[in-house]
Amino acid sequence: MRRFGWLLLAAVFLLSGSIGYLYWKQKLLQTANAPARPGQMTANTTGQAKDWCWAQNDGKRTVTEVCAQDMKQVENPPRVELEHVTLKIFHKGGTTFDLVKCDHAELRMQDSILFSEGAVDMTLGVKVNPDKPEEIIPSGRMLKIKSSGVRFDTQAQTATTDRLTHFDFDRGFGQAVGAVYDPGIHQISLKSQVLIHWKAATPQGKDMEVEAGEAVYLESESKVLLRPWAKMKRDTMTMNAGPSVVTLEKGNIQLVEAEKATGVDKLPTRELTYAADKLQMIFGKQNLIERITGEANASLAAHSVTGDTNVTTDRIDLHFTLLEKEKQSQLAIAMAHGNTIVTSKPLATGTNFPPNRILKSEVVEMKMRAGGEEIESVQTHTPGEIEFIPNKPADRYRRMNGDRIYLDYALKNQLETFRGTKVNTFTKGEPKKGTKEATPDVTTTSGELLAKFDPKTGQMQTLEQWTDFRYKEGTREARATKARMEQAQNMVFLDGKANIWDPTGATTADKIAMDQKSGDMVAEGNVTSTRQPEAKPKPGSMLEPGEPTQATAQKMTTRDKRDKVLYEGKAVMWQSSNRIEADRIDIDRKKQELVAKGSVLSQFLDKSKDDKLKDGKSKTSTPPVYTVVRAMDMTYSDVDKLAHYTQSVVLDRPDMNVKSDELRAWFNKTEKETQLDHALAEGTVRIYQTSLPVKGAAARTRTSTGNTALYEVAEEKVTMEGGNPMLVDSLHGTTKGQKLTWFSADDRLLVDGVLTQRALSTLKRKAKTKK
C-alpha cells in the first residue's frame, strides 16, 4: 500500500516525460540512433518509427527505458502516438525495476496532456535477470495495477483517471473508481468506491477489508486518509465511521483513528458493540488489535445468551490479549474514565427474573475471562454507586454507595459476589399484602461489605457488613461490629457489641439474630434489654405499670412480633426496686402471662402511688418494705393478678419468713396501688415472725406450722389451718387448734374461730413508746 499509488502514476509521468523529451529532441535522436526507416508516412504524420526504444542513464546505470512497436508524430492536432508501449523504471542499485505496459498512448502538444485510453498495466518491484531481460521475477512486495483512461498533465505534473482501478500487492488487493496523483508531494487520491483487502500475515490469520467514500495516501507520512466515511471488517469485527486516518508501518496497519465510529464484534454466543466520537485502534504483531480507545460519548455494549451489559463513559480503553498461536486477539480489560455508567440486564428464564444492575463511578475497570466473551470482574477506582432494579413486584429495590466497589462474576456472566468499602446501602420497603402501604425503608452503613448471589437466579443470598455496622429500618435501629443478612430467611445477624433499639425498647448482646419482617430476634451473650411502658398501662400488674422494664440474661428470644419474650441463663427482670430472677423467664404479652423456671427470686416493694411526691420521692422516711419470694418455678397471670410459686417456696418480709411447697400471691387491682394484696401458702407451711424488743425485753418470735396459710397484707393477718396448726410464741408459749388466726398489728389471736385470752397475759400488743 505504501508504494503502489505513486508508482502507478509515476510510471505514467515518466512515460509522458520520455515522449515529450523525444518530441523536442527528435532530430537529434534520428541522427544519433535512427531505427530502420519505416514505410511511407501519411499526410498528417511528421515522423514515425518501428521497434523504437529509448534509454536514459546517469552515466553509471540505466535509469529509464521506453520501447514501442510503433511511434508516430502527428501534426494536427499536434501529438505523439505510441503503440504497444513498454516502460521500465529502474530502482537505485539497478537490481529491480517497475514495469509499465499499455497498448496505446498519446501526448497532446496543445495542453501537454499524456493520455492512455485503454488499459494500463504496471508491475512493480521486478527483479533484473541479465540472462533473460524479458523474464519477470517477483521480489518482495511486488504490486500489479490495472486501470484505463489515465491522463497526465506534464505542466502540473499530476495524473488522473475517472475509471475503475484495480491493484494487487503482496499484502492484498483493492480497487477504486477515479484517482489523482501528485508526484511532487507523493500523494495519491482515490476518488470514490474505495476497497482495500489486506491479507493476514499468516494463513491462520484473518484478512481485513477497508472501504471508504474516498481515500488519500500520504506516502511521506505513511498515512491513508479515509473520508467522508469508512468501513473496516476483519473476521467477526466490523467498524463504521466518519472521517478516518490509517497509519502504516512497513506495509502493515499500525493505527486507525476514526471519528463518529461504531464497531461490532459478533461471535456465536456474544456480540460486542463499541462507539465513540473519536476512536483509535492500535494493531500489534500479525495485524492483531492491541487496544481500542474511544473518547467523547464513548460506549460499550455486550449482548450474550445470558443478558446485556452496556457501558457509557467519557473515555473507554479496550485492551486485548494477543494470542499468536491462535492468530487472534481477545478482549482482556475495558477501562472507562469519566461519568461512567455500567448497566447489566440479566436474561429472564422461566419464572426467574433477576434484577437489573446499574453501576456508576468516574473510573470503572472490567476484566474478561479467557476467551474474551464473559466478564470475570468489575471494579471502581473511584467512589461509586450500584443499584439493583427489580424485575418482579415482590423484589425490593436496593442501592449501595461505596468508596470502592468490586463485582466478581461466575460463568455465563452471572454475578457471584460484590464487595464495597466505606459503604452505605438503601433497600426500599416492600408492599404489604392487601394494602397500599409498604414496610419501612432500610439503610445501613459499614466500613466493609460483601454480598453473595445465587449464580442460577441472580438473586442475592447473603449480605455481610463489618467495621462499625449501623442499621435503620423506620424507627428501628441497630449497631454491631459485624452483620450478615440472609435474603431467603429475611434475617439479619449482628455480631460483636450488637445493639438494637426502637421507641418500644432496646436490646444489647454479644450477637443478635433478627427477623426483618416481624422484628423478632434471638440475642445471645451478655444480653441487656429495656422495654418502654405501654401507651395505656394496666394497673395492678406484678411489675410496675407505666415504668420501663429492664432485663439481663445470657440469651433472649422474641416471637410472634415480639409479643413473646424468653430470657434464658441467669435471667433478671426489674423495674426500679421490683425484680425477678430465674434461670428462665418466659413472657407472653397477649396472654398476659409470665413463667419463671429454675432458682426463681422475686422482689417487690410495697408502696402506694399516694406515697410519692411529684418528683418521685417518698413523703415519709419510713424504710422501704420488700416482699422477696424464692422458689424453683413461678407462673404469673396478669389477668388474675396472680403469681403462683412452686417447689421449695420461701417468702421473706422484714418481720416474716414463710416456707411452703407452693405459694399464690395476688396483687392489687386498684389504679392507686401496685403491691401485694394477699398470699396463700400451701403444703408443709412454716411461718417465722420476729418483732423488735420493747423496753429492754428480748425480741419476740412466733413460729407457726400447718398445711395452708393465708397472709393478708393490709390487715397484717395470718390464717393457718390444716395439718394441726400450731403457733409457738416466745413470750406466751404454744397454741394449737384446727384454725389459727392472728393479727400482727394488734397482737390478737383467734383459735378455732373463738377469741381467746391467755391467763398469764393479754394478747393485745401494747402501744409503742414515743421517743
Side-chain angles (χ1 to χ4, degrees):
M1 179 69 185
R2 179 178 174 86
R3 297 171 56 242
F4 82 88
W6 76 267
L7 285 173
L8 164 67
L9 296 176
V12 177
F13 168 68
L14 289 171
L15 175 61
S16 63
S18 300
I19 299 300
Y21 182 81
L22 288 173
Y23 175 76
W24 297 112
K25 303 295 182 179
Q26 181 180 13
K27 290 184 178 180
L28 178 62
L29 290 173
Q30 287 177 342
T31 302
N33 190 21
R37 184 178 298 276
Q40 187 68 33
M41 294 186 295
T42 60
N44 198 32
T45 302
T46 60
Q48 62 183 25
K50 283 187 176 292
D51 296 324
W52 172 85
C53 287
W54 173 84
Q56 181 185 18
N57 62 72
D58 59 3
K60 296 181 180 179
R61 63 181 181 88
T62 301
V63 177
T64 305
E65 180 182 279
V66 182
C67 294
Q69 289 184 6
D70 294 289
M71 184 277 290
K72 180 171 62 174
Q73 182 177 344
V74 180
E75 185 177 12
N76 188 22
R79 64 187 183 275
V80 175
E81 295 181 355
L82 299 173
E83 302 292 336
H84 305 293
V85 182
T86 299
L87 168 66
K88 293 181 181 180
I89 306 170
F90 292 91
H91 301 170
K92 289 182 179 181
T95 59
T96 58
F97 63 90
D98 298 327
L99 178 65
V100 182
K101 290 185 177 182
C102 63
D103 290 337
H104 176 81
E106 64 178 31
L107 176 65
R108 299 198 301 262
M109 307 310 297
Q110 70 273 23
D111 55 9
S112 301
I113 296 297
L114 177 66
F115 178 73
S116 176
E117 172 65 31
V120 177
D121 294 338
M122 286 188 289
T123 304
L124 310 181
V126 179
K127 284 187 177 181
V128 174
N129 188 344
D131 298 329
K132 298 180 179 180
E134 72 283 355
E135 182 178 1
I136 298 176
I137 304 175
S139 65
R141 299 159 50 219
M142 186 177 68
L143 179 69
K144 292 184 178 182
I145 302 170
K146 291 184 178 182
S147 188
S148 63
V150 178
R151 297 160 48 94
F152 184 79
D153 188 332
T154 60
Q155 301 275 338
Q157 294 189 349
T158 58
T160 63
T161 180
D162 294 326
R163 300 180 186 178
L164 182 64
T165 301
H166 294 272
F167 48 86
D168 294 277
F169 57 104
D170 62 345
R171 294 295 172 86
F173 55 89
Q175 65 181 45
V177 176
V180 177
Y181 176 65
D182 188 336
I185 59 175
H186 296 291
Q187 176 176 306
I188 182 170
S189 299
L190 304 178
K191 292 183 177 181
S192 66
Q193 302 179 41
V194 179
L195 172 62
I196 304 173
H197 187 107
W198 259 283
K199 292 182 180 180
T202 62
Q204 297 80 13
K206 305 298 181 182
D207 297 350
M208 176 182 285
E209 286 187 356
V210 177
E211 298 180 52
E214 61 179 272
V216 177
Y217 175 61
L218 307 176
E219 182 201 0
S220 60
E221 300 179 33
S222 297
K223 293 182 184 293
V224 178
L225 311 182
L226 307 175
R227 56 195 183 194
W229 59 269
K231 180 178 180 180
M232 299 183 184
K233 185 175 181 180
R234 184 178 188 274
D235 193 21
T236 59
M237 183 203 74
T238 302
M239 188 185 77
N240 292 282
S244 305
V245 178
V246 179
T247 301
L248 305 175
E249 177 66 29
K250 295 181 180 179
N252 295 318
I253 297 178
Q254 182 187 51
L255 173 66
V256 175
E257 299 169 283
E259 297 182 16
K260 305 293 183 182
T262 300
V264 179
D265 189 8
K266 291 185 177 181
L267 294 174
T269 59
R270 188 266 292 157
E271 180 177 308
L272 185 69
T273 302
Y274 47 89
D277 290 350
K278 294 183 179 180
L279 188 140
Q280 286 187 344
M281 299 176 66
I282 300 175
F283 293 80
K285 296 180 180 179
Q286 301 181 14
N287 285 339
L288 299 177
I289 297 176
E290 283 188 350
R291 189 169 78 246
I292 297 176
T293 298
E295 292 186 272
N297 298 315
S299 66
L300 173 68
H303 173 75
S304 69
V305 294
T306 59
D308 298 333
T309 300
N310 297 281
V311 181
T312 61
T313 184
D314 294 342
R315 172 191 170 99
I316 191 164
D317 292 288
L318 306 180
H319 300 265
F320 293 80
T321 298
L322 303 182
L323 305 178
E324 295 186 19
K325 291 184 178 180
E326 292 81 0
K327 312 303 178 185
Q328 61 177 324
S329 56
Q330 294 178 348
L331 179 61
I333 298 174
M335 288 287 296
H337 302 260
N339 301 307
T340 303
I341 300 176
V342 181
T343 303
S344 299
K345 297 180 179 180
L347 182 67
T349 56
T351 58
N352 179 38
F353 297 88
N356 297 341
R357 300 184 295 273
I358 301 176
L359 174 65
K360 300 177 182 178
S361 182
E362 281 297 303
V363 181
V364 177
E365 177 182 0
M366 299 175 60
K367 291 184 178 179
M368 309 301 291
R369 289 187 180 278
E373 296 187 23
E374 296 184 1
I375 300 173
E376 181 178 62
S377 65
V378 176
Q379 72 175 83
T380 68
H381 291 269
T382 53
E385 173 186 279
I386 184 168
E387 297 177 272
F388 293 84
I389 312 297
N391 286 315
K392 291 193 302 184
D395 291 344
R396 305 173 73 177
Y397 168 85
R398 302 177 187 276
R399 182 180 68 244
M400 186 195 81
N401 296 81
D403 187 64
R404 295 292 185 274
I405 297 175
Y406 308 86
L407 294 92
D408 297 310
Y409 288 79
L411 296 176
K412 298 181 179 180
N413 284 339
Q414 294 298 319
L415 182 61
E416 188 172 42
T417 65
F418 82 76
R419 297 171 290 131
T421 61
K422 297 181 181 179
V423 302
N424 61 77
T425 73
F426 172 86
T427 303
K428 187 71 176 176
E430 57 184 340
K432 294 181 179 179
K433 292 182 179 180
T435 68
K436 296 182 179 180
E437 298 180 354
T439 60
D441 299 336
V442 177
T443 60
T444 70
T445 62
S446 63
E448 305 283 342
L449 178 146
L450 173 63
K452 297 181 180 179
F453 294 79
D454 185 343
K456 295 181 180 179
T457 65
Q459 298 292 339
M460 186 169 67
Q461 293 178 314
T462 63
L463 175 64
E464 295 182 49
Q465 294 180 251
W466 61 97
T467 310
D468 193 20
F469 169 77
R470 301 190 181 205
Y471 172 99
K472 182 175 176 59
E473 182 179 9
T475 58
R476 183 190 306 157
E477 299 186 53
R479 292 186 66 174
T481 302
K482 182 179 180 180
R484 185 180 81 256
M485 189 189 80
E486 298 286 350
Q487 177 72 5
Q489 305 172 30
N490 205 16
M491 293 289 296
V492 174
F493 299 89
L494 308 179
D495 194 357
K497 298 180 180 179
N499 186 5
I500 295 179
W501 68 93
D502 62 20
T504 66
T507 301
T508 62
D510 292 342
K511 57 183 179 178
I512 298 174
M514 180 183 68
D515 188 318
Q516 285 187 286
K517 183 174 292 185
S518 66
D520 287 333
M521 69 181 75
V522 176
E524 296 182 87
N526 301 308
V527 178
T528 300
S529 73
T530 301
R531 171 108 180 164
Q532 296 298 326
E534 298 180 5
K536 296 181 179 180
K538 298 177 181 179
S541 299
M542 184 180 188
L543 296 176
E544 193 74 29
E547 292 189 10
T549 301
Q550 301 182 73
T552 62
Q554 287 303 306
K555 182 178 181 180
M556 182 188 80
T557 304
T558 67
R559 306 179 303 279
D560 296 344
K561 297 182 179 179
R562 295 184 290 177
D563 283 334
K564 294 180 180 179
V565 183
L566 172 62
Y567 296 96
E568 298 176 273
K570 298 181 181 180
V572 179
M573 288 181 59
W574 72 91
Q575 287 178 318
S576 301
S577 300
N578 297 336
R579 183 184 186 91
I580 298 175
E581 298 180 12
D583 293 339
R584 173 189 176 110
I585 300 175
D586 199 347
I587 301 171
D588 190 326
R589 299 187 188 280
K590 284 188 175 180
K591 291 183 178 180
Q592 301 181 52
E593 289 183 353
L594 183 151
V595 177
K597 291 184 176 293
S599 304
V600 177
L601 181 149
S602 64
Q603 172 184 289
F604 303 101
L605 177 65
D606 289 350
K607 60 184 178 180
S608 171
K609 289 183 178 178
D610 289 340
D611 291 336
K612 284 187 176 181
L613 298 173
K614 291 183 179 180
D615 60 2
K617 296 181 180 180
S618 175
K619 290 181 179 179
T620 66
S621 59
T622 304
V625 176
Y626 291 98
T627 298
V628 179
V629 180
R630 293 179 175 85
M632 288 303 298
D633 301 316
M634 184 269 283
T635 301
Y636 172 74
S637 170
D638 201 39
V639 175
D640 301 322
K641 310 300 183 203
L642 171 62
H644 182 196
Y645 299 88
T646 58
Q647 298 188 55
S648 305
V649 181
V650 177
L651 181 148
D652 282 306
R653 287 176 63 82
D655 59 351
M656 178 184 292
N657 174 267
V658 179
K659 294 182 179 180
S660 62
D661 294 337
E662 294 184 49
L663 177 70
R664 289 177 173 82
W666 285 265
F667 292 82
N668 284 313
K669 298 182 180 181
T670 65
E671 294 185 0
K672 292 185 178 181
E673 296 182 341
T674 57
Q675 63 183 31
L676 182 65
D677 183 78
H678 62 284
L680 176 64
E682 297 179 287
T684 314
V685 180
R686 177 183 180 278
I687 300 176
Y688 180 79
Q689 287 182 292
T690 61
S691 61
L692 296 175
V694 180
K695 292 182 179 181
R700 183 180 181 183
T701 63
R702 288 175 177 173
T703 303
S704 59
T705 58
N707 282 341
T708 64
L710 177 64
Y711 175 54
E712 298 174 74
V713 177
E715 300 179 65
E716 297 189 39
K717 175 184 175 181
V718 179
T719 301
M720 179 78 74
E721 58 184 323
N724 300 316
M726 180 176 64
L727 174 64
V728 178
D729 191 320
S730 62
L731 295 181
H732 301 292
T734 301
T735 301
K736 295 182 179 180
Q738 292 183 353
K739 180 178 181 181
L740 302 178
T741 303
W742 67 92
F743 301 83
S744 299
D746 56 11
D747 208 17
R748 287 182 296 152
L749 174 63
L750 297 175
V751 181
D752 296 330
V754 179
L755 182 62
T756 301
Q757 261 190 326
R758 295 183 181 274
L760 298 178
S761 64
T762 180
L763 295 176
K764 185 175 181 180
R765 189 164 59 189
K766 296 181 180 180
K768 296 181 180 179
T769 303
K770 294 182 180 180
K771 294 183 180 180

